Amino acid sequence: MSIIKENIANGIELYVNKLNKFKTVTINIYISNKLSHETAKFALLPSVLRRGSFNFKTYKEITKHLEDLYGAMFAYSIYKKGERQIAQFNMEIVDSTYLKEDILEESVKFISDVLLNPLILNDGFEQSYVQQEKEKQKNLINSRINEKTKYAVERCIEEMCKDEDYSIYELGNVDDVDKIDEKNLYEFYKKAIKRLPIDIFVVGNVDVDKVKEFFNKHFKIERTNVEVIPDTPILRKIDKVKYVEDKLDVTQGKLTLGYRTNVNPWDEEYFPLLILSGVLGGGPFSKLFMNVRERESLAYYAQTRLERFKGLMLVMSGIEIKNYEKALEIIQKQVDEIKSCNISDYEFNSSVKALVSSLNSIKDSGTQLADFYLSQKLSHTDYSIDDFIKKIEKVTINDIVDVSKKLQLDTVYFMTKNEE
Amino acid sequence: MLEIFNDLIKEKMYKYEHKSGLNVFVMPKKGFIKQYAIFATHYGSNDREFIIPGESEPTHVPDGIAHFLEHKMFEEESGSIFEEFSKNGASANAYTNFTTTAYLFSCTDNFYSNLRLLLDFVQRPYFTDENVEKEKGIIAQEIRMYDDDPSWRLFFNMLGGLYHVHPVKIDIAGTIESISKIDKDILYKCYNTFYHPSNMVLFVIGDIDVDKVAEIVNDSVKSKKRDGHIKRIYPDEPTKINKNYVEQKMSVSMPLFNIGFKDNDIGYGGKRLLKRDITTQICLEILAGRSSDLYEELYNDGLIDTTFDVEYVGEVDHGYSIIGGQSVDPEAVKKALIAKISSIYKVDDADFYRIKRKLLGRFIKSFNSVESIAHNFISYYMKDINILDFTSVIEDITPDDVLDRFKTYFNEDNCVLSIVKP
């Protein structure tokens, strides 16, 4: 597998990975910003751009064009990797092998049009689009509460990182959305498209030269003073564990434990940390599954998640409310077991194999490949998937115990029910 | 071994029937790293009452038993089968829906050894009083998790509005009360009835060798004697809906809604069902899809947002459409939808062919992912449909078919509004 990288403009990198096994070609464009008071604005841009461009003036026209392109997928999402906020535009089109025509250039032209050639009136975006999308964004921010499992994790992170930019929600807050209008958003857009880092990944059965040609021809912007997004601070010493409780109208309690890993994304220790997270809660072989679920029947799910770019490890589970103390004790005990080197060969080997398997699986998805390469770029590591796997396979149980000593419990969050 | 081709998407699969009655399908995917296998039985939460082959009296079982059985299959006399898969670096899982219980694994290595594990453990039940009791606590937490999930409640409340007695209105996992009645004897009874190879299917996909799969199936699948067929008993469901409005209060930020349309054109599977399925999808796209006039109007009026979506679910013995999302005023959405339906008297050719292109493109795209292919395959198989027939069936559909479906299916009398309110 070879990936070709080219600078198509100041601060815009195009990566092309030619692979002929897919039915589609995927194009992913990532624009990055720093989490800040601009977060709400940055988050609003993709949805306003999706409403209409100079050539396709309405949502309906854009959608019809995509449907004509054999149901080309075009989606955007906003998320964060550390304190870097990312707007991802994802387009997926059917490969010409399966059609009577080649729609790649048309697709590059389309995505360029939506991103670079917006519908502008009187030096601002279309007013009604901005107003409607602001309402939508506020609704999305408010509806975080609907998905309790996810919300319980987000709330833990928010409390944990209260005085850090990482606590900023990826869509910003309602007050900041209210301050946006079609003029200041357009001002911000002009600056963003000129100065923020842009990475483009194309994966599929494509002619590499053609891809370069199409992007050079259609994705044209003047770029100056390109910004560098700083790396997110990771190291943190915890003096006292925070305990936070939210009361909601729920029947199940959600317990989340937030740990600081104190491991930078580029550290060699990141590899043992990944296996540690697996041993603790990465599958049915893990300590949490075996103890919280199978031995004690306390939960249906009990698992871990790593936030590589902020140095966090989250432990999450859904439990009977009255079992809070017991679950908390058992979860912390599993972490202590790792710290005192109580890791079986089975737990260790299973965790390594599960990781290797999921890394290898990335090769079967264009968008996952793009995300993998983006993550390497952001962590200043230049690993291929196979390099990454080799790193994982070199880790020993002792390396895991060493990195476990850096773990510090920061916050215990519990979502419980309203007492009536 | 039968070879089934689809020239348009350039895929083929092999089919063969094992002497036990098990149907086996293999789809080779050159160059793919991931391998995937699903071993499924035609048995789901809808099977609450049935006559066991060789018996004459019906058996009633507690709600949630198919799902409970699925959980318990992973337990072996020697421990958990998860352990064996984990040692091979494979990830095993299972799911239960209304009609199907499916066991599966994905891996990137040791495929044939994992396939043996899968076939063996699903043929080897091990239930004890103790391990059955232990599972009740875990499943109770699963049920609670769904109780707190607004979208799940919204969906089942809609089904409760559409159906009077059809078991599809009952939660797949049952209730904490109904699962308390489950014991090992009743689990064995269900297992022996529904986990017969002739009631099951195996689908495998990846960069794998077809003959080697057949060899493992021949080694591992045991033929079992069977006298007669399972008789599944379903109550007579009236054609009319049960209630046209259902509401529940939960902790959400704004109202969520599902508008459901009950389908009474049922009772068959195969290509005819596939045609009904695709035709209805085209109707829904033209009516309320992202490029429709209605979507644009509702969006501009602030009545819907991008969570708004349309879907058709077509099963052999039931079917419904769902139009849903979040809205400050779900009643207004329903009103606009009904008004739009009654104003449709022709199908625009441009819309029709554009939507067809879209559905065809999405079908081709779904063959990028071994998981999607496997899951779609199983879902269609249970309706006697081969997924590779999609391209020929969609080609046959005409604008008249779509118009006819509009006229006969979508109307206010068979429509339910389900709302979850803050």
Side-chain angles (χ1 to χ4, degrees), chain A residues 279-301:
Chain A
V279 166
L280 183 61
F285 50 80
S286 68
K287 288 185 181 292
L288 289 173
F289 187 91
M290 286 309 297
N291 291 286
V292 179
R293 175 173 152 141
E294 293 300 304
R295 197 153 298 147
E296 300 284 346
S297 300
L298 285 174
Y300 170 65
Y301 72 92

Side-chain angles (χ1 to χ4, degrees), chain A residues 21 23-24 51 60 67-68 71 92 132-133 143 146 148 251-252 294 297 320 346 353 364, chain B residues 11 31 33-34 83 87 134 141-142 148 251 253 291 293 296 299-300 354 357 362 365 368:
Chain A
K21 65 182 178 181
K23 294 273 187 279
T24 56
R51 287 300 301 276
K60 185 155 72 178
E67 287 172 348
D68 273 330
E92 190 166 357
Q132 285 158 4
E133 295 309 312
S143 66
N146 295 7
K148 307 290 180 287
T251 59
Q252 183 178 58
E294 293 300 304
S297 300
E320 201 68 48
Y346 163 64
K353 283 180 182 163
D364 283 352
Chain B
E11 297 283 0
I33 310 291
K34 208 188 279 186
E83 200 169 321
K87 282 178 186 161
K134 189 205 82 180
Q141 287 315 311
E142 190 176 359
D148 283 342
S251 103
S253 60
S291 61
D293 294 343
E296 185 174 56
Y299 198 105
N300 289 346
R354 200 183 61 249
R357 273 163 87 101
R362 294 292 163 93
K365 177 186 172 282
N368 257 350

Side-chain angles (χ1 to χ4, degrees), chain B residues 289-388:
Chain B
R290 303 244 153 160
S291 61
S292 66
D293 294 343
L294 182 66
Y295 187 92
E296 185 174 56
E297 287 155 29
L298 292 171
Y299 198 105
N300 289 346
D301 289 343
L303 283 171
I304 58 167
D305 57 28
T306 40
T307 60
F308 186 80
D309 214 351
V310 296
E311 187 192 355
Y312 177 68
V313 177
E315 296 288 340
V316 172
D317 69 339
H318 68 282
Y320 49 86
S321 298
I322 309 177
I323 295 161
Q326 57 179 16
S327 174
V328 286
D329 189 355
E331 311 249 7
V333 177
K334 183 187 166 187
K335 215 172 138 192
L337 180 73
I338 297 292
K340 184 58 80 180
I341 289 169
S342 50
S343 76
I344 289 173
Y345 58 95
K346 72 174 183 57
V347 170
D348 181 61
D349 269 0
D351 287 343
F352 173 79
Y353 289 106
R354 200 183 61 249
I355 296 300
K356 255 192 164 180
R357 273 163 87 101
K358 172 184 170 175
L359 295 182
L360 184 64
R362 294 292 163 93
F363 175 75
I364 297 170
K365 177 186 172 282
S366 74
F367 280 80
N368 257 350
S369 147
V370 295
E371 290 98 327
S372 302
I373 300 168
H375 288 258
N376 290 339
F377 176 87
I378 293 292
S379 157
Y380 280 128
Y381 176 85
M382 295 297 166
K383 309 174 204 180
D384 199 22
I385 295 169
N386 187 310
I387 189 173
L388 294 183

Side-chain angles (χ1 to χ4, degrees), chain A residues 350-367:
Chain A
S350 301
S351 178
V352 169
K353 283 180 182 163
L355 271 168
V356 169
S357 183
S358 71
L359 282 159
N360 270 321
S361 301
I362 293 173
K363 298 171 185 167
D364 283 352
S365 155
T367 292

Side-chain angles (χ1 to χ4, degrees), chain A residues 31-36 38-44 78-87 169-172 229:
Chain A
I31 308 180
S32 302
N33 197 17
K34 194 176 155 357
L35 285 170
S36 69
E38 287 174 338
T39 292
K41 256 184 206 163
F42 186 71
L44 184 62
I78 301 282
Y79 50 88
K80 50 192 184 187
K81 281 186 190 271
E83 285 163 9
R84 171 187 285 252
Q85 185 188 14
I86 295 172
Y169 183 53
E170 58 240 30
L171 299 182
I229 312 287

Side-chain angles (χ1 to χ4, degrees), chain A residues 21-24 26 47 50-51 58-61 63-74 76 92 94-95 97-101 103 129 132-133 136 139-140 142-149 248-254 284-285 289-290 293-295 297-301 318-320 323 346 349-351 353-354 356-358 360-361 363-364 368, chain B residues 8-11 29-35 67 71-72 75 80 82-84 86-90 92 106-110 133-135 137-142 144-150 249-254 256 285 289-293 295-296 299-302 305-307 326 328 351 354-355 357-362 364-365 367-370:
Chain A
K21 65 182 178 181
F22 296 120
K23 294 273 187 279
T24 56
T26 49
S47 57
R50 173 63 178 86
R51 287 300 301 276
T58 64
Y59 186 93
K60 185 155 72 178
E61 279 179 54
T63 310
K64 283 188 172 175
H65 185 64
L66 290 166
E67 287 172 348
D68 273 330
L69 293 171
Y70 295 88
M73 304 277 288
F74 178 64
Y76 57 84
E92 190 166 357
V94 177
D95 187 277
T97 317
Y98 308 97
L99 301 175
K100 294 181 191 84
E101 53 187 314
I103 56 175
Y129 292 174
Q132 285 158 4
E133 295 309 312
K136 197 187 84 192
N139 289 338
L140 285 174
N142 291 327
S143 66
R144 289 169 70 193
I145 196 174
N146 295 7
E147 283 180 62
K148 307 290 180 287
T149 305
L248 289 169
D249 184 14
V250 291
T251 59
Q252 183 178 58
K254 309 269 189 213
F285 50 80
F289 187 91
M290 286 309 297
R293 175 173 152 141
E294 293 300 304
R295 197 153 298 147
S297 300
L298 285 174
Y300 170 65
Y301 72 92
I319 56 169
E320 201 68 48
N323 289 333
Y346 163 64
N349 291 327
S350 301
S351 178
K353 283 180 182 163
V356 169
S357 183
S358 71
N360 270 321
S361 301
K363 298 171 185 167
D364 283 352
Q368 282 190 42
Chain B
L8 184 92
I9 59 166
K10 301 182 173 58
E11 297 283 0
K29 276 293 249 182
K30 270 263 161 278
F32 273 73
I33 310 291
K34 208 188 279 186
Q35 298 133 344
H67 171 256
H71 270 239
K72 279 332 301 168
E75 196 127 335
S80 160
F82 279 128
E83 200 169 321
E84 300 307 313
S86 294
K87 282 178 186 161
N88 273 343
S106 76
C107 66
T108 54
D109 202 3
N110 304 313
E133 276 317 302
K134 189 205 82 180
E135 206 65 25
I138 298 171
I139 295 179
Q141 287 315 311
E142 190 176 359
R144 288 231 192 277
M145 182 177 81
Y146 282 112
D147 281 346
D148 283 342
D149 180 344
K249 282 200 162 57
M250 290 181 81
S251 103
V252 291
S253 60
M254 70 192 277
L256 308 178
E285 289 285 343
R290 303 244 153 160
S291 61
S292 66
D293 294 343
Y295 187 92
E296 185 174 56
Y299 198 105
N300 289 346
D301 289 343
D305 57 28
T306 40
T307 60
Q326 57 179 16
V328 286
D351 287 343
R354 200 183 61 249
I355 296 300
R357 273 163 87 101
K358 172 184 170 175
L359 295 182
L360 184 64
R362 294 292 163 93
I364 297 170
K365 177 186 172 282
F367 280 80
N368 257 350
S369 147
V370 295

Side-chain angles (χ1 to χ4, degrees), chain B residues 79-350:
Chain B
S80 160
I81 194 70
F82 279 128
E83 200 169 321
E84 300 307 313
F85 282 107
S86 294
K87 282 178 186 161
N88 273 343
S91 164
N93 213 331
Y95 62 85
T96 306
N97 60 31
F98 299 114
T99 59
T100 309
T101 313
Y103 300 84
L104 57 96
F105 70 84
S106 76
C107 66
T108 54
D109 202 3
N110 304 313
F111 174 76
Y112 301 102
S113 151
N114 291 322
L115 181 61
R116 253 179 231 283
L117 279 176
L118 176 72
L119 293 171
D120 289 349
F121 97 81
V122 178
Q123 293 184 89
R124 192 172 52 212
Y126 176 71
F127 312 136
T128 64
D129 290 332
E130 202 192 1
N131 76 27
V132 169
E133 276 317 302
K134 189 205 82 180
E135 206 65 25
K136 289 179 182 173
I138 298 171
I139 295 179
Q141 287 315 311
E142 190 176 359
I143 291 171
R144 288 231 192 277
M145 182 177 81
Y146 282 112
D147 281 346
D148 283 342
D149 180 344
S151 315
W152 192 251
R153 293 312 327 146
L154 185 70
F155 172 62
F156 272 93
N157 291 347
M158 179 200 77
L159 291 175
L162 290 172
Y163 295 98
H164 295 260
V165 287
H166 195 288
V168 73
K169 68 190 286 187
I170 293 161
D171 244 301
I172 292 160
T175 61
I176 292 176
E177 210 243 313
S178 74
I179 62 165
S180 72
K181 295 181 195 133
I182 292 173
D183 60 31
K184 73 171 195 291
D185 295 337
I186 192 140
L187 286 171
Y188 274 116
K189 204 176 229 182
C190 290
Y191 178 85
N192 290 328
T193 306
F194 291 103
Y195 283 63
H196 188 275
S198 63
N199 191 46
M200 300 181 75
V201 59
L202 174 70
F203 180 80
V204 295
I205 181 164
D207 200 340
I208 45 183
D209 183 68
V210 182
D211 295 324
K212 203 142 179 209
V213 170
E215 199 184 300
I216 290 169
V217 169
N218 287 337
D219 270 3
S220 303
V221 176
K222 299 178 199 92
S223 292
K224 288 191 254 180
K225 205 166 86 84
R226 163 142 285 189
D227 314 310
H229 289 283
I230 311 161
K231 189 168 172 359
R232 300 167 202 249
I233 302 168
Y234 298 117
D236 280 331
E237 172 66 29
T239 55
K240 286 196 165 44
I241 55 167
N242 181 23
K243 294 180 272 201
N244 64 11
Y245 183 80
V246 196
E247 174 189 312
Q248 184 180 346
K249 282 200 162 57
M250 290 181 81
S251 103
V252 291
S253 60
M254 70 192 277
L256 308 178
F257 69 96
N258 272 179
I259 298 167
F261 286 88
K262 182 173 182 171
D263 194 357
N264 289 308
D265 178 12
I266 49 171
Y268 54 87
K271 281 189 186 178
R272 193 176 155 208
L273 173 56
L274 182 57
K275 185 174 175 185
R276 177 180 104 203
D277 186 331
I278 302 170
T279 308
T280 317
Q281 285 184 52
I282 297 175
C283 285
L284 286 166
E285 289 285 343
I286 291 175
L287 174 68
R290 303 244 153 160
S291 61
S292 66
D293 294 343
L294 182 66
Y295 187 92
E296 185 174 56
E297 287 155 29
L298 292 171
Y299 198 105
N300 289 346
D301 289 343
L303 283 171
I304 58 167
D305 57 28
T306 40
T307 60
F308 186 80
D309 214 351
V310 296
E311 187 192 355
Y312 177 68
V313 177
E315 296 288 340
V316 172
D317 69 339
H318 68 282
Y320 49 86
S321 298
I322 309 177
I323 295 161
Q326 57 179 16
S327 174
V328 286
D329 189 355
E331 311 249 7
V333 177
K334 183 187 166 187
K335 215 172 138 192
L337 180 73
I338 297 292
K340 184 58 80 180
I341 289 169
S342 50
S343 76
I344 289 173
Y345 58 95
K346 72 174 183 57
V347 170
D348 181 61
D349 269 0

